[in-house]
Amino acid sequence: LTLTTFTEHALPYCVFSHGGGPPRVGAGLGTHIIDLELAFGDKIFAAPSLNGFLARGPRAWQRTRERLLGFIRGGQLTETVPIAEATLHLPVQVADFADFYSSLEHATNAGRILRPDDPGLARNWREMPVGYHGRAGTVVVSGTPVARPHGQIAPGHGRPDLAPTRKLDFEAELGFVVGAGSAPGRPVPIDDFAEHVFGVVLLIDWSARDIQAFESRPLGPFLAKSFATTISPWVIPLAALDQARVRPPAQDPPPLDYLRASQPWGLDIELAVQLNGQLVSRPRFAIMYWTAAQQLAHLTVNGAALRTGDLYGSGTVSGFRRDEMGSLLELTAGGREPLLLPDGQPHGYLADGDTVTLSGSAPGPGGSRIEFGCASGRVAAAADQPGPLARNAASASPGVS
Amino acid sequence: LTLTTFTEHALPYCVFSHGGGPPRVGAGLGTHIIDLELAFGDKIFAAPSLNGFLARGPRAWQRTRERLLGFIRGGQLTETVPIAEATLHLPVQVADFADFYSSLEHATNAGRILRPDDPGLARNWREMPVGYHGRAGTVVVSGTPVARPHGQIAPGHGRPDLAPTRKLDFEAELGFVVGAGSAPGRPVPIDDFAEHVFGVVLLIDWSARDIQAFESRPLGPFLAKSFATTISPWVIPLAALDQARVRPPAQDPPPLDYLRASQPWGLDIELAVQLNGQLVSRPRFAIMYWTAAQQLAHLTVNGAALRTGDLYGSGTVSGFRRDEMGSLLELTAGGREPLLLPDGQPHGYLADGDTVTLSGSAPGPGGSRIEFGCASGRVAAAADQPGPLARNAASASPGVS
């Protein structure tokens, strides 16, 4: 992979360390990182996460971006570090993580594959962005290896075994980072989206399809998703995406009032999925049926408060065309039809050693592109079972726990 | 309600403030709170949560408890505050919150009520403690009002409305507080339960049944649960529950090896649910099919790391007998048969102004009881719709979002 080059229109934020120093907040420009504490003389940036800065709210985000642009245009920035020499860390201390299911094409594709006899969408799908909570503590930064998880797998109708997943998958998503919290009991109106959401990351929702199939009834996915979620180290501020805003697909039926925005929040972001360096798909975010603004309004309509650091995933970004599908579930028709890689090799679900890389870009001012960097993870072999499990099995009598 | 009196065998932990001072960590004894920073001269207790202390791990928990007992028996404690004069705060900064579904009686009752034509348990139920992730940011301490949530409600087969829930319910549970984290990729062996779990709280899992019914397919409960979860201010250390440990119910079929413990972790804890001060149920925790040790082993078997402050709920504690049921769903047969309160009045789902109070106790040494205090919440009227919703409804055209 070649290094991303960030234009002054992008100015994404990151947490980096360099030369053995502690993690600190930076902004990407060209192939370098601007050290924001040195640029602004502000200790809020001498921190291992963006959270302190995010908590200052939208006026502070805007002022910081404007001052930084002023410095850049005035040639006043000297303290930068090459991205290639820095270590990039998880940019946000994640508070709560929720994940949605908001591409009509993905939901339709998945229904056809998983429920061929009854492929229809659930009755709620066109009424709300359906979602669930995930595990915040296992959100990791790009580059972190992802160990193949164990779980209960029950092929056919027999009893399950505990085994490493044989159907390890990715889902190509965007993640939305909440900067400014909200008060308990006060739903966030949809038009206040940009008052709360600071920016966007690339997100890989790792999924073990066989574990998911057995565990999910009736409470939804749990361990099939909770072992790891990878995000990019760069948070693209919403302010960098003005040129990317588009009208989302028409919604039929028209949604309830709280899901109607006065300004469109579709986003024309092009994603690309590479498997071991080979391009397998180019999902287009603009097709998403439910927007991130609708997701935020829905997430809070019951009065649930937002906190700085909340993260929510868009759901898999997929089209109907094979070269726009954002998961191996879809790209391989549930594992039944191998995906042919550009080099002609067939590929099924993820094998140990496979690397998945998600990248993205959006239109910027004057024909420029806003680059998102990438979110990448390599599949590591399943860990050995811990010793005590074998020991317990020998000492426990059936039926006693 | 009368005030709880804590014996020296209980010594539960809390976070309290007094006389306008900042929140700090204390321990309950009699009707007083021991100020632990003053008792030990240790700044870790001058904190707004137990997390710093919990992160020190099980050896430190044990040493602190033993030293505290020594002080008490030596009459060396003078710095105490009456509980009645203190404000009790959320004791733990919650990292991730998960919730299980582990009473066979509750799952059976719920199946009969919700799916009379197909009341059976899902195929996974006897193989694993089925669970899901909830919202950590809306876990609140006892005494916090719980506003009736809005959500999408779809009676019959028509389109949903956004409305305040008409089926607000509670679920009586225990919550288990993780003190010591675990490494990513390393499942926690079931016999290491007490190396990681510090203690137990009472937990009310507020639930909006009508919102839940419409949203839950296929990803499980989301907004029906995420508006509020109430826990008691007192964390009972596992070390106080030695006399409460019992063999859990026999499990048929015998579970997979990773779910077999060499020591039993059933807990003989008696719960009591009061509605507006009237006793409505006495669920017994000892009946729980899946133990907290099994839940922890399952939660981490995929390699998901634990963090200090993780909290997981047991699932509703219910028996088959009406006076042992832990939810109004069960106590009212899905709202169809009113619950008769001790004063003779019928009651359905929760009304505005209702107060739910969960208390609990367990056997202690020499015939004493370990008291858990209580978790209580009063239902507040639904908040008004925020103004912008109405404004948007007027300005948005159908199909545009």
Side-chain angles (χ1 to χ4, degrees), chain B residues 4-13 27-29 65 69 235-241 364-365 368-372:
Chain B
T4 303
T5 297
F6 297 112
T7 73
E8 66 177 28
H9 306 298
L11 285 183
Y13 291 80
L29 180 67
R65 187 170 163 88
L69 266 171
V235 185
I236 315 297
L238 275 193
L241 298 174
S368 70
R369 296 295 292 176
I370 306 292
E371 296 290 336
F372 282 53

Side-chain angles (χ1 to χ4, degrees), chain B residues 269-290:
Chain B
I269 297 169
E270 297 183 7
L271 301 178
V273 180
Q274 290 179 299
L275 183 52
N276 300 328
Q278 301 192 63
L279 183 70
V280 296
S281 175
R282 287 190 174 280
R284 294 179 301 122
F285 194 77
I287 59 89
M288 296 299 280
Y289 189 88
W290 295 106

Side-chain angles (χ1 to χ4, degrees), chain B residues 13-334:
Chain B
Y13 291 80
C14 71
V15 170
F16 73 103
S17 59
H18 177 246
R24 42 207 290 110
V25 176
L29 180 67
T31 55
H32 282 63
I33 301 170
I34 302 165
D35 185 311
L36 293 181
E37 187 202 359
L38 297 180
F40 289 114
D42 186 340
K43 287 284 176 201
I44 201 94
F45 298 115
S49 82
L50 280 160
N51 292 48
F53 170 58
L54 297 188
R56 288 184 174 172
R59 253 41 81 207
W61 309 337
Q62 183 184 0
R63 204 163 50 237
T64 298
R65 187 170 163 88
E66 286 167 359
R67 286 183 63 197
L68 199 53
L69 266 171
F71 289 160
I72 293 167
R73 289 168 182 170
Q76 290 162 271
L77 288 172
T78 52
E79 299 285 353
T80 66
V81 172
I83 296 172
E85 294 176 15
T87 301
L88 296 172
H89 303 272
L90 190 69
V92 175
Q93 187 186 334
V94 180
D96 269 300
F97 173 49
D99 195 22
F100 289 93
Y101 179 56
S102 290
S103 153
L104 181 65
E105 292 83 350
H106 170 69
T108 305
N109 294 338
R112 285 178 186 154
I113 294 164
L114 299 175
R115 296 177 299 276
D117 297 333
D118 177 20
L121 297 175
R123 198 178 136 216
N124 53 26
W125 201 93
R126 284 176 179 270
E127 302 289 354
M128 64 171 68
V130 172
Y132 66 102
H133 282 99
R135 192 160 183 85
T138 50
V139 176
V140 297
V141 71
S142 178
T144 307
V146 174
R148 178 179 302 276
H150 281 75
Q152 289 199 20
I153 298 169
H157 294 279
R159 289 199 62 195
D161 285 323
L162 180 69
T165 175
R166 291 180 283 269
K167 296 188 177 178
L168 185 61
D169 198 356
F170 60 81
E171 297 188 337
E173 306 192 14
L174 291 183
F176 292 83
V177 176
V178 172
S182 65
R186 306 298 306 170
V188 174
I190 189 166
D191 283 338
D192 286 0
F193 172 62
E195 301 287 305
H196 294 275
V197 168
F198 170 74
V200 186
V201 293
L202 300 161
L203 187 148
I204 303 174
D205 178 20
W206 304 95
S207 303
R209 301 296 179 196
D210 40 11
I211 297 173
Q212 188 176 354
F214 187 62
E215 75 176 357
S216 294
R217 184 155 168 257
L219 300 183
F222 186 39
L223 303 187
K225 303 274 195 171
S226 68
F227 55 99
T229 305
T230 298
I231 65 172
S232 57
W234 300 100
V235 185
I236 315 297
L238 275 193
L241 298 174
D242 281 348
Q243 280 75 23
R245 291 180 60 181
V246 292
R247 223 166 253 287
Q251 296 186 317
D252 179 22
L256 292 174
D257 290 348
Y258 78 98
L259 295 171
R260 298 191 195 188
S262 56
Q263 298 294 324
W265 272 108
L267 290 169
D268 176 22
I269 297 169
E270 297 183 7
L271 301 178
V273 180
Q274 290 179 299
L275 183 52
N276 300 328
Q278 301 192 63
L279 183 70
V280 296
S281 175
R282 287 190 174 280
R284 294 179 301 122
F285 194 77
I287 59 89
M288 296 299 280
Y289 189 88
W290 295 106
T291 69
Q294 292 177 314
Q295 291 169 338
L296 191 78
H298 186 62
L299 182 64
T300 62
V301 74
N302 67 350
L306 299 174
R307 292 183 295 170
T308 295
D310 282 348
L311 172 72
Y312 62 96
S314 61
T316 311
V317 186
S318 272
F320 284 130
R321 287 172 39 178
R322 186 174 268 230
D323 62 359
E324 294 179 351
M325 290 176 173
S327 68
L328 287 173
L329 174 76
E330 294 161 273
L331 286 162
T332 68

Side-chain angles (χ1 to χ4, degrees), chain A residues 59-149:
Chain A
R59 252 41 80 210
W61 310 337
Q62 183 184 3
R63 203 163 50 237
T64 299
R65 186 172 163 86
E66 285 167 359
R67 286 183 62 198
L68 198 53
L69 266 172
F71 289 160
I72 292 168
R73 290 169 180 169
Q76 289 160 274
L77 289 171
T78 52
E79 300 285 351
T80 67
V81 171
I83 296 172
E85 294 176 15
T87 302
L88 296 172
H89 302 272
L90 190 69
V92 174
Q93 187 184 336
V94 180
D96 270 300
F97 172 49
D99 195 23
F100 288 93
Y101 179 56
S102 290
S103 152
L104 181 65
E105 291 82 351
H106 170 69
T108 305
N109 293 338
R112 286 178 186 155
I113 293 164
L114 299 174
R115 297 177 299 275
D117 297 334
D118 177 19
L121 297 175
R123 197 177 137 217
N124 52 27
W125 202 93
R126 285 176 178 270
E127 301 289 355
M128 63 170 69
V130 171
Y132 66 103
H133 282 98
R135 192 160 183 83
T138 50
V139 176
V140 297
V141 72
S142 178
T144 307
V146 174
R148 179 179 299 276

